Amino acid sequence: MSGLKLPTEPCWVNIVEKNITEILNDHAYCEQKACTNAINLIVHFPECTELVDAMLDLAKEELEHFQDVHEKIKARGFELGRERRDEYVFELNSFIRKGYTKNYVLVDKLLFSALVEARSCERFKVLSENINDPDLKEFYHRLMVSEAGHYKMFISLANNYINPDKVKKRWQEWLEFEASVMKN
């Protein structure tokens, strides 16, 4: 689907099941960050009307996902904990080009977002197929479908701002970089 170079091993679900409180907490903050990312794209690129429209819709949806995860946390008798630094996102963010034309920077930010969504989709698929909790199995399947749509939307938007062949080439560079981040 997305071309991710390093798939998540199904045995990762065993770690998730043993640490469900931390996983749900991290997931909640990932949804919050996705909402914030959409708003930041609006703030930095307000002249891109199609982008603004898409990010408004995305911000609302990601905030709903945050609420959904928060409801799962509360239903299990947990509380939302403190946010932790996301090393994966921090490392990916370092790959966004600096000092290029505005369109190239925008495309990198869109591909960064597409990659985060693609990895989330892939992980939610692994969870939906392997987790023993029926409620979370259905929940993560629903989110997997949503994340796949987000990934495709970001790639589509990127194709609006520079030549699609250049987007495809840069996407491959992002995939290679993400694989090195995942290995580390």
Side-chain angles (χ1 to χ4, degrees):
M1 172 187 98
S2 62
L4 293 173
K5 305 288 184 193
L6 195 62
T8 300
E9 295 292 327
C11 64
W12 170 72
V13 175
N14 297 332
I15 297 167
V16 169
E17 290 178 321
K18 291 175 185 165
N19 298 286
I20 200 66
T21 308
E22 291 87 9
I23 296 298
L24 288 171
N25 192 69
D26 286 344
H27 180 187
Y29 281 110
C30 288
E31 298 294 353
Q32 176 269 321
K33 289 174 195 166
C35 178
T36 301
N37 181 56
I39 292 167
N40 283 335
L41 285 168
I42 292 169
V43 169
H44 289 100
F45 303 96
E47 69 282 1
C48 302
T49 303
E50 183 181 6
L51 174 71
V52 170
D53 290 342
M55 292 304 100
L56 284 169
D57 290 341
L58 181 64
K60 291 175 198 172
E61 186 177 345
E62 297 292 13
L63 190 56
E64 288 174 6
H65 291 171
F66 175 84
Q67 183 176 12
D68 292 345
V69 178
H70 188 237
E71 292 301 322
K72 296 285 180 206
I73 290 169
K74 292 187 313 185
R76 290 164 184 272
F78 308 144
E79 292 179 352
L80 182 63
R82 296 279 177 201
E83 178 184 10
R84 287 187 234 152
R85 179 178 160 126
D86 189 330
E87 293 297 328
Y88 170 77
V89 169
F90 181 78
E91 288 293 321
L92 286 184
N93 193 47
S94 73
F95 199 62
I96 295 174
R97 294 179 281 199
K98 315 286 186 279
Y100 281 75
T101 65
K102 196 164 188 172
N103 279 5
Y104 279 93
V105 172
L106 171 57
V107 165
D108 261 12
K109 288 179 181 277
L110 293 170
L111 294 179
F112 160 86
S113 300
L115 193 48
V116 171
E117 297 286 349
R119 178 58 71 184
S120 294
C121 177
E122 187 259 356
R123 289 234 162 142
F124 292 160
K125 182 178 190 301
V126 170
L127 283 168
S128 72
E129 292 174 347
N130 297 286
I131 201 162
N132 290 316
D133 183 314
D135 177 54
L136 291 178
K137 184 180 285 278
E138 183 277 324
F139 179 63
Y140 284 117
H141 178 77
R142 182 172 53 84
L143 290 176
M144 173 196 68
V145 172
S146 179
E147 302 296 291
H150 298 166
Y151 147 74
K152 292 174 187 173
M153 174 199 62
F154 280 116
I155 296 287
S156 178
L157 285 167
N159 284 319
N160 291 339
Y161 298 104
I162 64 172
N163 180 298
D165 289 334
K166 290 182 179 181
V167 171
K168 187 181 287 188
K169 181 178 184 287
R170 185 63 176 159
W171 179 243
Q172 291 307 310
E173 293 169 358
W174 271 98
L175 290 170
E176 292 297 329
F177 182 74
E178 195 261 356
S180 70
V181 169
M182 290 296 289
K183 285 177 189 171
N184 294 329

